[in-house]
Amino acid sequence: KKLGIALVGLGSYSGGQLAPGLQDAEHCYLAGIVTGTPAKEKEWMAKYNIPKKNVYNYENFDSIAKNPDIDIVYVVLPNSMHAEFCIRAAKAGKHVICEKPMAVSVAECDAIINACNEAGVKLSVGYRMQSDPYTNEIKRLVKEKPYGSVRYVSSDAGYISRGNPDQWRLNHALSGGGALMNMGVYSIQSNIYGTGQNPVSVSAQEFSSKPEYFKDTDETITAQMEFPEGVVGNLFTSHNANANRLFVSFEKGWAELNPCHSYGPLSGRTSNGKEIKFPHQSQQKLQMDDFAKHIMLGTTNYAPGEMGKRDMIIVEAIYRSIKEGGKRIPLDLGDMGIVRE
Ligand code: NAD
């Protein structure tokens, strides 16, 4: 059996990555769509062979509860809309995938998690890297320690935003924040899987060179995370510099992915001169298949809601540190959101 997924929000990520990924998926398929743009209904129905009864708009979306074709609702809207649509999906009795960043505040992450728990549905965040073989190879090196323990991790995530200063990503009311919310979450994620632990503190700095373009959101942020046993993590994120790299320094060697969080093919190497290499597959297909298997077979949920909430706690701590002049903000996360098999 394949589970039916309905995509909510048919923008560039749904159209460019998720719908194509679903064409190859083994455990789920594109069963329905939810869109606020009537012109997209016809286009998607024809392109993906979606019946009219599985097409919704933002107003009649809640009646998806009665549709047995839809098992999973995947929310792919601007960040400030995630909470509302994830909660409505849970109340409709559907399993939920929420795109990253999970929401625009920790309070909203809690509301999503509570709604899913109350409805008895499964929840996962759109962290495709958690299903990617390159990420998993780094996790393996951290866990099995062929180069000893990790001492230092550095992760960079950014691109140069050009053209439209009014896009939702640069509008705080819709995005909840700039580079950190959009790309910084990849650096937070890779700092954590690159050490296998949660940080115990964070300090951060903000940089700005184009305030006329980045009117409303952060342009560039650096942060330093302290992990248990004096392990140090470094984060760089920007909407005005290209960066896509993870470096993990072990006691007796290192591993690097560059690029590390784009759609692939990715590329990596270790200090013994070996290439890290896997056949290229759609990360989105792997991610959605993993979640479908979790629902049907009880296998691991690689990106549970607690992981998205934990990352939002770190995001809020980074913004707070910046506001307080780079002050070290202690974090009390325990093992929250760490997935061990
Ligand atoms: P997009 O701008 O291409 O699409 C956004 C969609 O939301 C559009 O269909 C638009 O019509 C709809 N929408 C509804 N209300 C809107 C409003 N008030 N303003 C703007 N758009 C509105 O964005 P996207 O790149 O598809 O991103 C959507 C979500 O997916 C975001 O949360 C983003 O962070 C996430 N995303 C994740 C990845 C990933 O690799 N996991 C990649 C890209 C985007």
Side-chain angles (χ1 to χ4, degrees):
K1 178 181 152 66
K2 285 188 176 188
L3 298 183
I5 294 193
L7 296 175
V8 187
L10 308 179
S12 55
Y13 193 54
S14 283
Q17 304 299 328
L18 296 175
L22 280 165
Q23 303 314 299
D24 301 328
E26 289 159 47
H27 304 283
C28 49
Y29 73 103
L30 180 56
I33 50 173
V34 185
T35 175
T37 314
K40 287 185 194 162
E41 294 186 4
K42 278 205 185 78
E43 182 196 323
W44 279 66
M45 281 166 63
K47 188 164 180 190
Y48 293 110
N49 199 19
I50 296 168
K52 178 76 185 143
K53 67 179 174 64
N54 293 355
V55 176
Y56 297 86
N57 57 44
Y58 300 150
E59 287 70 42
N60 67 17
F61 167 58
D62 307 275
S63 62
I64 205 166
K66 296 192 233 74
N67 191 334
D69 290 357
I70 311 298
D71 302 289
I72 299 169
V73 167
Y74 194 157
V75 177
V76 203
L77 291 163
N79 309 339
S80 68
M81 299 171 77
H82 291 180
E84 179 195 334
F85 280 84
C86 288
I87 292 167
R88 286 170 70 179
K91 286 189 171 152
K94 304 301 178 185
H95 302 293
V96 178
I97 309 178
C98 175
E99 249 321 313
K100 53 60 54 182
M102 188 171 169
V104 296
S105 68
V106 175
E108 281 190 355
C109 295
D110 274 326
I112 296 171
I113 291 169
N114 290 341
C116 290
N117 286 341
E118 273 163 34
V121 297
K122 308 280 193 195
L123 167 65
S124 149
V125 181
Y127 284 144
R128 57 187 161 77
M129 299 317 302
Q130 293 289 346
S131 294
D132 178 88
Y134 289 78
T135 298
N136 284 326
E137 176 62 5
I138 298 291
K139 288 183 199 162
R140 188 188 70 78
L141 296 174
V142 170
K143 188 174 159 189
E144 295 179 7
K145 298 189 170 61
Y147 301 107
S149 299
V150 179
R151 298 302 308 152
Y152 171 66
V153 171
S154 182
S155 171
D156 310 328
Y159 63 88
I160 299 181
S161 174
R162 291 191 180 94
N164 178 10
D166 299 319
Q167 59 185 286
W168 72 258
R169 280 190 171 81
L170 307 182
N171 173 340
H172 198 279
L174 286 165
S175 61
L180 181 62
M181 282 295 231
N182 184 24
M183 302 305 290
V185 291
Y186 289 105
S187 273
I188 291 172
Q189 283 264 300
S190 39
N191 263 277
I192 293 173
Y193 71 71
T195 57
Q197 292 189 294
N198 283 332
V200 295
S201 79
V202 66
S203 320
Q205 306 79 33
E206 182 174 359
F207 301 85
S208 162
S209 68
K210 255 177 99 177
E212 69 289 355
Y213 184 83
F214 302 101
K215 293 179 283 219
D216 202 24
T217 54
D218 42 287
E219 175 184 323
T220 296
I221 284 176
T222 54
Q224 304 76 45
M225 287 180 244
E226 191 186 355
F227 290 86
E229 288 157 33
V231 175
V232 175
N234 187 52
L235 169 154
F236 171 89
T237 188
S238 182
H239 270 160
N240 202 16
N242 296 317
N244 189 347
R245 186 185 70 110
L246 168 64
F247 178 76
V248 185
S249 168
F250 301 94
E251 290 164 313
K252 294 178 285 181
W254 51 262
E256 184 179 47
L257 299 181
N258 185 354
C260 86
H261 53 252
S262 37
Y263 304 142
L266 302 181
S267 173
R269 59 213 62 81
T270 46
S271 48
N272 63 2
K274 255 175 57 187
E275 208 184 340
I276 301 174
K277 196 162 177 58
F278 296 95
H280 180 59
Q281 289 193 69
S282 157
Q283 296 161 345
Q284 291 79 10
K285 165 200 130 65
L286 296 172
Q287 171 211 333
M288 291 184 279
D289 269 344
D290 275 343
F291 187 53
K293 279 193 281 184
H294 168 63
I295 293 167
M296 290 192 287
L297 307 169
T299 53
T300 303
N301 183 355
Y302 293 103
E306 288 68 27
M307 183 185 270
K309 174 184 165 178
R310 173 204 61 200
D311 296 348
M312 198 54 52
I313 292 173
I314 297 170
V315 163
E316 287 190 354
I318 288 174
Y319 283 134
R320 195 181 133 206
S321 173
I322 290 166
K323 228 168 129 189
E324 298 183 11
K327 197 173 127 185
R328 176 184 179 278
I329 309 292
L331 293 163
D332 185 16
L333 297 166
D335 260 358
M336 182 177 189
I338 300 266
V339 175
R340 297 190 210 282
E341 285 194 78

